[in-house]
Amino acid sequence: MLYPQQNKYRDLYVLDGIWDFRLDPENVGVDHGWHEGFMESRPIAVPSSWNELYPDTYDFIGVGWYQTVFSIPTSWSQDDIRLRFGSVTYGATVWINGHFVGSHEGGNLPFEFCLTDHIDRESGNKLVVRVENELRPDRVPPGNVPKQSLNIFMSNTPATNYDFFPYSGIHRSVILYRIPIPSISDVTIRTSIIDEVGLVDIRAFSSDPDVDLFVSLQSDSCVLQGSAVSANGELNVSLEVNDPRLWSPSDPYLYQLNMSLNHQGKTVDSYSLEIGIRTIEIRGHEIYLNGEPIELKGFGRHEDSSVSGRGQNLPLSVKDHNLMKWVGANSYRTAHYPYSEEDLFLADKHGFLVVDETPAVGLFFEGDRGQIEDRLTKCREQVSELISRDKNHPSVIMWSVANEPFPPDLMTRIFSEIEEPVESFTTEFLTTLASDAKNLDDTRPVSFAAVHGTPLEWLENVDVVMLNTYGGWYFDQLNLGGAIDKLSEYLDRVHSSTGKPIVISEVGADTISGFHSVPEELYSEEYQVEMLRRYLDLAESKDFLAGLHVWVMADFRTTHSLMRIGGLNRKGAFTRDRQPKMAAHFLRSRWSVAPSG
Ligand code: GCB
């Protein structure tokens, strides 16, 4: 599903703005015909989360209805008309003029419907969306998980199986767009480097088999051209770039790729992409970018801000990328779900190395097998939707197919260091997700964020071991020396049994901005700095550690529990309103190149 574009052959109309909204706590909307249009509404912003906008929507779990109207320009008469939602959390059902057009389950990823047969081209069209956010154990991510599961956030409200607020609503832009018939329906770019020549392989698809494609790749210094005739709608072009300017964090150079589709001797469609020429590979226990070893330095993040919730917030995306640059970071993980496409465009331009994660957080393996199978099906859909959306971003260097799947006996594994085999269906679950990612994209490594005590066989099918570790915070509080010794010994063990690069994908301590103490006490800015100092020193001392991501870039809203003062996870190097804590200055002193002079 290509990101909508506007050019001579394509057009779009962003439907964002103030829409009508109504809660449906009794779930009576469909019976009462609200899908044809409803009254007694109140205004809501699209995109945004509904939670922070009214007192009674704050922790509302259930159904909310949205509606707006739009008209079709007369110039769109001959085209394929689509309606695209960047993300709706969690379930969406869509009607136009009272006709059902489709539904989608799962937040954080785009979906679209063809509207050509449903719209009224003469007058206004009523668009109604029913959004529902029930927290259920069979969903991804899961909620309301039965008590037998390990869940450190067990007594949280709302009852998520993960540590962030279950914000709901139409979270990203709603775009009405038209594409010509025939059109370019998909493009995949792969780049490689052979003998200092950059190879750019372009594989495009068209909705019509009788077409050809013309491409041009432009840089500041050259223009390369190529063409292909369709083989059943598939079009392949390879370009060779001599002396290519390679994409990297220090020089995130983007080439402009323009593609035009011709049908019966006439250009009928065009599409362009900014692409980076780069390679990423694993050799031994190192990650190589363009043939050079790299170390990931950065953060886990969240899409989170006051008022907008998880709703798309472009100024905040720009600011976050700038703050990460200021700190000297070169990498981040989209914990714990795919971020907006605009975020990845920023990462491409700034040169961030992104670990792109699916929404598979809070996975557990107890209970009903049928339910576990359902979760696996949903996770597989999400892997496929994620890769199809993000495959062309040079910034995306690795897929993460889950965060912290918990084996049933995790606590025993953590504390008694058992390495007994785990039930094989759990291994198959993770192996399937990693294999899916590799089958869909063999140009990027695959991983998932594991925890201390993760069964070693779960790591067999990943290329890089990512490890979330909280020694000194949830365990061995105030005993940083002991925590680091234990971690060091554990890392050596994981490395000697896997031989793979290891990235510390989370480490952090909750810190109340402005709370200071000497000696360092829990929650003080000094304790956070001291913990990070020791972890960074450890990372530098082990050559198989290929990077470290601090948890988390900025404080974020989570569910209510005794562990989360004021409903915030406060492990941020920055506060929720993006002011630096001492930790941000400390990381900057370690990560950024000292300015000369
Ligand atoms: C983790 C989770 C992350 C939490 C974090 C914490 O391991 O991956 O979602 O927010 O710990 O702060 O407890």
Side-chain angles (χ1 to χ4, degrees):
M1 193 194 306
L2 294 174
Y3 188 78
Q5 282 187 359
Q6 195 171 35
N7 60 34
K8 213 165 135 189
Y9 306 96
R10 295 171 169 245
D11 204 359
L12 58 84
Y13 176 31
V14 180
L15 298 184
D16 297 356
I18 302 297
W19 291 30
D20 300 332
F21 179 69
R22 184 167 178 181
L23 291 181
D24 184 6
E26 309 299 327
N27 192 15
V28 294
V30 174
D31 290 344
H32 291 190
W34 294 5
H35 51 289
E36 292 175 8
F38 55 87
M39 314 286 280
E40 295 172 35
S41 63
R42 47 180 144 169
I44 196 156
V46 171
S48 72
S49 297
W50 68 47
N51 309 78
E52 303 250 4
L53 304 183
Y54 292 95
D56 62 332
T57 56
Y58 180 71
D59 52 5
F60 176 77
I61 300 288
V63 178
W65 290 78
Y66 289 75
Q67 75 183 3
T68 191
V69 287
F70 64 86
S71 308
I72 302 287
T74 43
S75 56
W76 289 23
S77 59
Q78 300 305 317
D79 302 304
D80 184 352
I81 297 180
R82 310 267 175 107
L83 181 68
R84 183 190 210 259
F85 293 82
S87 147
V88 178
T89 303
Y90 180 85
T93 313
V94 179
W95 293 265
I96 301 277
N97 303 326
H99 301 293
F100 170 78
V101 292
S103 59
H104 181 264
E105 189 178 326
N108 319 104
L109 285 161
F111 55 93
E112 67 177 26
F113 306 109
C114 178
L115 293 193
T116 314
D117 296 336
H118 301 284
I119 36 175
D120 183 337
R121 291 171 190 271
E122 300 305 321
S123 47
N125 290 275
K126 178 157 278 181
L127 165 61
V128 176
V129 188
R130 176 184 181 273
V131 180
E132 98 21 61
N133 69 342
E134 205 188 326
L135 298 171
R136 289 197 340 220
D138 62 338
R139 292 196 149 169
V140 181
N144 280 314
V145 169
K147 289 241 185 264
Q148 77 268 20
S149 169
L150 172 113
N151 180 357
I152 51 174
F153 306 107
M154 187 72 93
S155 55
N156 60 341
T157 314
T160 58
N161 206 38
Y162 46 88
D163 180 26
F164 52 90
F165 198 82
Y167 280 120
S168 305
I170 300 182
H171 277 158
R172 295 184 193 142
S173 285
V174 183
I175 300 179
L176 184 70
Y177 73 105
R178 71 159 170 96
I179 47 175
I181 306 170
S183 63
I184 299 169
S185 54
D186 193 24
V187 182
T188 305
I189 309 296
R190 295 161 69 101
T191 63
S192 49
I193 304 158
I194 295 178
D195 295 336
E196 300 189 4
V197 174
L199 300 180
V200 178
D201 292 318
I202 303 149
R203 171 187 274 193
F205 287 90
S206 159
S207 48
D208 190 303
D210 180 24
V211 287
D212 55 274
L213 186 75
F214 175 78
V215 304
S216 87
L217 185 71
Q218 239 172 296
S219 70
D220 297 334
S221 57
C222 74
V223 181
L224 288 175
Q225 297 181 330
S227 60
V229 176
S230 130
N232 288 327
E234 183 176 332
L235 302 124
N236 289 292
V237 184
S238 292
L239 299 175
E240 293 189 4
V241 185
N242 288 321
D243 197 16
R245 190 161 158 192
L246 301 180
W247 184 96
S248 71
S250 58
D251 183 19
Y253 188 76
L254 296 171
Y255 287 78
Q256 176 76 25
L257 176 69
N258 297 322
M259 291 160 278
S260 334
L261 192 78
N262 304 311
H263 178 59
Q264 298 176 345
K266 230 175 84 192
T267 301
V268 288
D269 189 19
S270 72
Y271 196 81
S272 34
L273 283 172
E274 289 191 309
I275 66 156
I277 302 178
R278 59 121 186 85
T279 58
I280 186 88
E281 44 184 330
I282 306 303
R283 291 189 215 155
H285 54 232
E286 285 179 300
I287 305 176
Y288 282 75
L289 178 77
N290 302 330
E292 302 286 336
I294 44 152
E295 194 198 330
L296 311 185
K297 296 180 282 187
F299 298 97
R301 297 172 58 209
H302 262 294
E303 287 187 323
D304 170 271
S305 63
S306 58
V307 187
S308 335
R310 190 146 298 114
Q312 186 164 16
N313 184 331
L314 292 180
L316 191 76
S317 288
V318 170
K319 177 144 189 161
D320 278 2
H321 284 81
N322 283 328
L323 288 176
M324 288 189 289
K325 276 265 141 194
W326 176 81
V327 167
N330 66 8
S331 175
Y332 64 84
R333 176 167 62 116
T334 71
H336 297 303
Y337 39 78
Y339 292 178
S340 73
E341 286 150 289
E342 289 72 12
D343 233 63
L344 293 179
F345 291 130
L346 287 167
D348 292 344
K349 287 183 195 303
H350 282 291
F352 282 102
L353 307 166
V354 175
V355 179
D356 204 359
E357 188 156 277
T358 70
V361 50
L363 296 179
F364 61 100
F365 297 96
E366 295 123 315
D368 185 85
R369 277 290 181 89
Q371 212 170 64
I372 296 171
E373 284 298 316
D374 285 353
R375 266 204 305 280
L376 177 60
T377 306
K378 285 173 191 141
C379 290
R380 296 185 74 179
E381 280 163 16
Q382 290 169 341
V383 168
S384 146
E385 288 180 23
L386 175 71
I387 295 179
S388 113
R389 191 194 74 160
D390 293 347
K391 61 190 172 184
N392 293 328
H393 288 281
S395 55
V396 174
I397 55 146
M398 181 152 74
W399 306 113
S400 166
V401 296
N403 179 71
E404 296 189 349
F406 290 142
D409 54 352
L410 180 65
M411 281 322 211
T412 328
R413 285 176 184 272
I414 291 178
F415 291 112
S416 49
E417 307 284 355
I418 57 164
E419 281 171 18
E420 306 273 300
V422 72
E423 279 200 88
S424 62
F425 80 93
T426 63
T427 308
E428 276 156 31
F429 190 111
L430 291 157
T431 304
T432 304
L433 295 183
S435 305
D436 279 0
K438 289 176 195 209
N439 291 337
L440 290 163
D441 176 14
D442 61 4
T443 69
R444 291 177 174 91
V446 176
S447 186
F448 69 84
V451 280
H452 194 115
T454 289
L456 289 175
E457 58 269 46
W458 284 8
L459 304 174
E460 271 164 26
N461 204 21
V462 300
D463 302 302
V464 172
V465 175
M466 291 202 296
L467 190 75
N468 296 349
T469 171
Y470 283 96
W473 187 252
Y474 294 121
F475 315 102
D476 290 317
Q477 290 97 348
L478 294 173
N479 176 14
L480 287 170
I484 292 288
D485 288 347
K486 275 189 204 157
L487 176 64
S488 171
E489 187 269 327
Y490 181 66
L491 289 169
D492 290 345
R493 221 147 27 96
V494 173
H495 175 251
S496 71
S497 96
T498 64
K500 298 176 185 184
I502 303 182
V503 170
I504 294 185
S505 39
E506 286 185 22
V507 50
D510 282 271
T511 305
I512 297 175
S513 169
F515 173 50
H516 294 281
S517 77
V518 174
E520 306 92 17
E521 288 174 351
L522 297 179
Y523 290 100
S524 69
E525 296 210 29
E526 286 78 3
Y527 190 75
Q528 186 183 31
V529 168
E530 190 50 28
M531 173 186 272
L532 296 179
R533 183 195 317 283
R534 291 182 189 233
Y535 272 84
L536 288 181
D537 288 349
L538 177 74
E540 277 171 18
S541 73
K542 299 206 183 274
D543 57 2
F544 59 78
L545 277 181
L548 182 146
H549 282 171
V550 170
W551 188 254
V552 54
M553 188 211 154
D555 294 351
F556 63 92
R557 169 76 61 210
T558 185
T559 56
H560 294 276
S561 74
L562 288 176
M563 283 176 23
R564 296 292 181 252
I565 302 164
L568 294 187
N569 182 312
R570 295 175 187 266
K571 296 190 183 70
F574 294 85
T575 60
R576 199 180 189 211
D577 60 0
R578 273 49 181 184
Q579 298 308 321
K581 298 183 190 171
M582 271 171 59
H585 291 284
F586 166 71
L587 291 172
R588 185 165 190 250
S589 74
R590 292 288 289 252
W591 284 345
S592 62
V593 179
S596 53

